[in-house]
Amino acid sequence: MIPRPFVSTPLGFTFHYGASSRAAALDAWLRQAFGAEAAELAAGIPENLRQDPCAAYVARLLWLGRTILKCWRIPAFEAGRIERILPQMKSETLRCEISEPMLDCMPRIVHKTAYGLSGEASAWCMRNPVSDAKVVEFHTRFEDMVKKGMPPLELGGASTLPVLQTARSMGIPFLHLGRGIYQLGLGSKRRQLDRSHGESDSYVGVMLAADKATAARLLRARGLPVPSHEVVVTKEAAVSAAASLGFPVVVKPLDANRGEGVTVDVDSPAAVAAAFERAKTATRSRVVLVEKQVAGVCHRLFIVKGQMLYAVKRLPLYVTGDGTRTLADMVKAEAARDLRQPFWLRNGMATVDEAALAALKARGHPPEGVPPRGARVYLRPIESTAWGGIDEDATATVHPLNLAAAVAAAETFGLEVAGVDMITTDLSVPWTENGAAINEVNGGPLLGGAAISLSHVPRFLEIYLGGSGLIGFDTAEAGTGLDVLRARQEEMLAAGVRCWIVYDDAAIDHERKVVCTVEQGTAGESAALRLAVLNRALDHVILVRGPAPRQALA
């Protein structure tokens, strides 16, 4: 039996249930706001409560609570089971008792907080009729509620859920170790993962790569292409550096990320001065980089253990002309559609704001103009996490020399998982011929955040784990003699397989040492097994139901 990532845990909470609280009304909201399906909304209702309207309403609250947990990067993939619903003395309140699948090392208060917020959100929905305008208002309120209500704990990152969801679909077991860090696979097949940070990633390397000037110096020493730059701390020095490097330049913070504080196409001393101030406000060190601008578009090459997982061309946000509407009207319609989506699905499209006006002016597109059908009109100068963007798959176009450069860049910083950003006019042309340069090397790059990346997560897991992550399992009946079990253990050890005997309350390793013990009935299902599979010196388990005999523990 493979240990599940969740342990069924009793949990209770009280919620508002007024005269207007109806499952059908809440369904209408959840379908329009989240695209929820009827079957998933009804999950967790036992047969004896199928006709209970309170249970139907509670099931919707639990669905919304799981949605909040997933916003907090918690893999709430399984529905809890409603056990009892009890009326309270206070008018219009009910108490619900459920069996909740909970991760190891996850405080109950996290789940209770999520379900409390789901009750607040549901009550607001019941007070308001569904409409496009109200859905936009709901998403604004919901985003604020989720972000402000998030417990002050390390719960994972943007890559955590896509990786775990894919692992689950592939039958790869995972366990929560704490602080949003997970073990994928069991025993000798296990690997640890923090978002997309591999367990062998160099901490020092991650720190060095985050410092753009240091990173460029180390890459240059490796013989890899990087843009020329100067480090400055004053506006006057920035202007002087730009003049020395030659316009256009890029001005950016030394140590910020997400593209914050970056200005491209800087082509005059006045523009350098303004860009310096923007960069300075986005950096902790107050140090700014002035960099010679490299022609082309940023491409990300995702590297895993010396192999390319995929590559994307990272384009700024854009709209595509239809030949009839003005640019401003198209942006307005797209922004309105974007606002009707949950906040985690939005692309960041806004009205024709100041940044869009600057990008449009640079490309000669007036907001009142009508772009030709099929024409792309970019609304930002570059793609960035802060501004958003649109990825195009470029995996098939990568020239071998560009791939070799990306792999060498990851190796320079000791990263088994890295996102290497290369600016080039054409990724199919070697960097030695078109002046391409490596812009950044990122440890723990976003994985699974968009459709292209998500499609490559299964292969990421195959490469990272080097297989299925599974070990061998046998079961033995309770009362099986210790001599029989040890004979089987010795037989497997002779074949080079480290076999452990695992009871409900103890694990005996291949050297007959008691590795871990637990108190019966106090640590949830498969408690000893859950501890045993954390150990890399485990290739095979003989699982025995019942407590360990006294002689096994001697």
Side-chain angles (χ1 to χ4, degrees):
M1 185 193 81
I2 297 173
R4 297 167 64 251
F6 309 100
V7 175
S8 184
T9 305
L11 194 67
F13 63 95
T14 302
F15 62 94
H16 175 84
Y17 186 80
S20 63
S21 301
R22 296 291 179 268
L26 191 51
D27 279 0
W29 263 104
L30 298 179
R31 281 196 299 268
Q32 186 157 337
F34 299 103
E37 300 288 341
E40 58 181 330
L41 292 176
I45 305 177
E47 194 61 39
N48 65 313
L49 294 176
R50 286 286 175 188
Q51 305 306 315
D52 188 333
C54 295
Y57 188 75
V58 169
R60 275 67 179 172
L61 294 186
L62 297 182
W63 183 91
L64 191 55
R66 291 195 299 277
T67 299
I68 293 171
L69 288 169
K70 285 185 275 192
C71 289
W72 294 341
R73 321 299 192 194
I74 296 172
F77 301 144
E78 299 182 13
R81 174 185 167 87
I82 301 171
E83 300 294 349
R84 290 197 303 168
I85 298 177
L86 305 171
Q88 299 293 289
M89 296 298 293
K90 184 179 178 181
S91 176
E92 297 190 337
T93 61
L94 294 175
R95 179 164 180 80
C96 173
E97 295 180 358
I98 65 174
S99 295
E100 176 73 352
M102 289 185 64
L103 293 168
D104 289 331
C105 310
M106 185 62 63
R108 290 191 185 196
I109 189 62
V110 174
H111 286 247
K112 293 190 71 116
T113 300
Y115 290 130
L117 293 176
S118 77
E120 292 179 28
S122 301
W124 186 90
C125 290
M126 293 299 92
R127 294 194 299 269
N128 293 276
V130 184
S131 67
D132 284 350
K134 283 295 182 182
V135 166
V136 172
E137 183 181 350
F138 170 79
H139 281 312
T140 300
R141 289 174 175 270
F142 188 71
E143 179 179 11
D144 184 67
M145 175 186 297
V146 168
K147 291 182 176 178
K148 287 183 177 178
M150 182 174 178
L153 301 169
E154 296 273 358
L155 299 174
S159 301
T160 301
L161 280 192
V163 169
L164 296 180
Q165 182 73 72
T166 303
R168 184 170 183 255
S169 70
M170 294 173 67
I172 297 171
F174 64 84
L175 295 168
H176 182 231
L177 302 177
R179 299 179 64 86
I181 299 171
Y182 290 81
Q183 172 177 308
L184 300 171
L186 306 173
S188 59
K189 306 297 184 182
R190 76 166 173 86
R191 299 293 309 279
Q192 295 169 352
L193 197 70
D194 178 8
R195 293 158 289 179
S196 71
H197 282 287
E199 65 181 20
S200 297
D201 281 341
S202 164
Y203 174 79
V204 173
V206 171
M207 296 297 103
L208 291 172
D211 184 303
K212 295 177 175 62
T214 300
R217 178 171 55 81
L218 294 174
L219 292 170
R220 189 179 291 114
R222 184 77 182 262
L224 298 172
V226 293
S228 300
H229 72 261
E230 291 189 27
V231 177
V232 299
V233 294
T234 66
K235 188 187 306 181
E236 294 74 19
V239 171
S240 175
S244 175
L245 291 166
F247 292 106
V249 296
V250 178
V251 180
K252 57 187 179 183
L254 178 72
D255 52 7
N257 52 29
R258 302 178 71 249
E260 293 174 346
V262 177
T263 307
V264 300
D265 298 320
V266 181
D267 58 4
S268 69
V272 171
F276 174 84
E277 293 300 331
R278 281 192 292 273
K280 190 175 180 180
T281 60
T283 173
R284 298 180 299 277
S285 63
R286 315 295 284 177
V287 178
V288 172
L289 213 64
V290 180
E291 186 177 271
K292 178 65 179 175
Q293 185 158 314
V294 176
V297 176
C298 183
H299 296 71
R300 167 153 299 178
L301 287 74
F302 198 110
I303 305 299
V304 187
K305 298 175 74 172
Q307 301 179 53
M308 180 178 68
L309 186 66
Y310 66 87
V312 289
K313 186 177 184 178
R314 309 178 74 182
L315 298 171
L317 279 177
Y318 64 80
V319 291
T320 304
D322 58 12
T324 58
R325 292 181 297 170
T326 67
L327 183 57
D329 286 342
M330 285 193 298
V331 173
K332 183 178 179 181
E334 176 62 23
R337 185 201 66 80
D338 203 39
L339 288 173
R340 291 194 296 273
Q341 296 197 95
F343 65 89
W344 60 89
L345 295 178
R346 294 176 187 167
N347 61 22
M349 188 74 71
T351 54
V352 182
D353 55 14
E354 183 179 343
L357 287 171
L360 294 172
K361 183 179 179 181
R363 292 178 170 87
H365 293 294
E368 64 276 8
V370 178
R373 187 176 189 82
R376 287 180 180 177
V377 181
Y378 294 99
L379 303 173
R380 294 289 187 266
I382 58 171
E383 184 274 351
S384 71
T385 305
W387 277 339
I390 300 170
D391 289 345
E392 286 187 353
D393 198 340
T395 308
T397 70
V398 182
H399 191 280
L401 283 181
N402 293 336
L403 173 56
V407 171
E411 290 175 349
T412 298
F413 298 100
L415 302 178
E416 65 172 342
V417 182
V420 180
D421 292 343
M422 178 177 285
I423 300 175
T424 179
T425 53
D426 188 343
L427 200 56
S428 67
V429 176
W431 64 268
T432 53
E433 296 181 14
N434 67 358
I438 294 174
N439 184 47
E440 285 186 4
V441 179
N442 302 277
L446 177 61
L447 177 62
I452 295 170
S453 181
L454 187 60
S455 70
H456 290 278
V457 176
R459 184 162 172 265
F460 168 83
L461 290 170
E462 290 170 0
I463 296 172
Y464 185 65
L465 292 175
S468 66
L470 298 176
I471 57 175
F473 272 87
D474 286 333
T475 57
E477 295 294 330
T480 301
L482 183 60
D483 290 344
V484 174
L485 296 174
R486 283 179 172 171
R488 174 62 173 153
Q489 197 177 33
E490 291 296 331
E491 178 185 331
M492 299 196 76
L493 187 58
V497 178
R498 295 166 296 183
C499 175
W500 292 19
I501 304 169
V502 180
Y503 296 91
D504 288 351
D505 57 354
I508 316 299
D509 74 4
H510 57 286
E511 296 178 337
R512 300 188 180 183
K513 295 177 182 176
V514 179
V515 178
C516 55
T517 58
V518 295
E519 293 183 27
Q520 286 188 345
T522 63
E525 58 185 351
S526 311
L529 178 62
R530 297 171 76 82
L531 293 175
V533 296
L534 301 177
N535 198 305
R536 275 208 172 96
L538 170 63
D539 301 320
H540 193 99
V541 168
I542 299 175
L543 188 63
V544 188
R545 286 298 183 203
R550 186 175 303 172
Q551 63 267 37
L553 303 177

